[in-house]
Amino acid sequence: SLTTTDQNQVRQKRQEVEFVVNQSGTNVTTSTDEGGGQQRGNLSGGDWLQLNGPFNLLNIGDVTFRTSGGTVGVPTGAVEIRRDAVDGPIVSTVTINGTGGNGVYLSQTFPLTDAGTHEYFLVFRSVPNGPGNNFFNLNWVEFVGPGVGVTP
């Protein structure tokens, strides 16, 4: 006889972007950030990453990007957070500021709210007076908030 089993998918709130589901235009390079490992580089207008979802952003209020590169405090590139497809609805657009160099890493946090369970794509865009391409390096992305977990 047939039986069914309930299944829960667990997603880490911090996504190491060297391990994305799919991408276009980026490369993986060695990171000199704390913990070492790898990161995404060569981020230019129109490049994109598909995070390892789907994600339910219930009780998530912010998103943090860990980046390096560019002139400190000067906008270097933008990230469109898109739902369900690389050309899907834009959930949020954030502007990443330079950190002071490729070996200088900073975390930048932005408000983020969305309902339901979805795939999320990061689409990189140029900003006025920005570098044109190779905006910044991206080490990780983290969804900030308690999430859907149950208190033990």
Side-chain angles (χ1 to χ4, degrees):
S1 67
L2 296 175
T3 61
T4 61
T5 303
D6 287 336
Q7 183 179 24
N8 291 314
Q9 294 182 345
V10 177
R11 300 283 182 241
Q12 292 182 336
K13 290 191 274 184
R14 180 175 290 182
Q15 293 289 297
E16 294 285 344
V17 296
E18 63 267 32
F19 302 116
V20 296
V21 172
N22 206 349
Q23 65 85 36
S24 177
T26 73
N27 64 13
V28 175
T29 63
T30 300
S31 173
T32 58
D33 198 3
E34 290 179 9
Q38 296 179 313
Q39 63 191 13
R40 288 281 166 178
N42 198 35
L43 306 176
S44 298
D47 294 349
W48 57 268
L49 305 172
Q50 179 183 0
L51 298 178
N52 293 316
F55 295 94
N56 183 338
L57 298 185
L58 179 67
N59 299 319
I60 296 295
D62 297 295
V63 62
T64 299
F65 293 86
R66 182 73 170 177
T67 65
S68 72
T71 303
V72 67
V74 175
T76 187
V79 182
E80 296 172 346
I81 302 169
R82 291 182 171 261
R83 182 187 317 129
D84 293 326
V86 70
D87 59 353
I90 296 174
V91 176
S92 182
T93 300
V94 303
T95 299
I96 302 294
N97 287 322
T99 64
N102 285 333
V104 180
Y105 291 82
L106 293 175
S107 298
Q108 299 176 56
T109 301
F110 306 91
L112 176 69
T113 56
D114 197 31
T117 300
H118 300 281
E119 296 286 342
Y120 289 95
F121 292 75
L122 307 179
V123 181
F124 302 96
R125 301 288 184 208
S126 61
V127 294
N129 302 315
N133 55 30
N134 297 325
F135 305 149
F136 51 86
N137 299 308
L138 180 60
N139 191 5
W140 49 257
V141 176
E142 184 171 358
F143 297 110
V144 182
V148 297
V150 177
T151 304

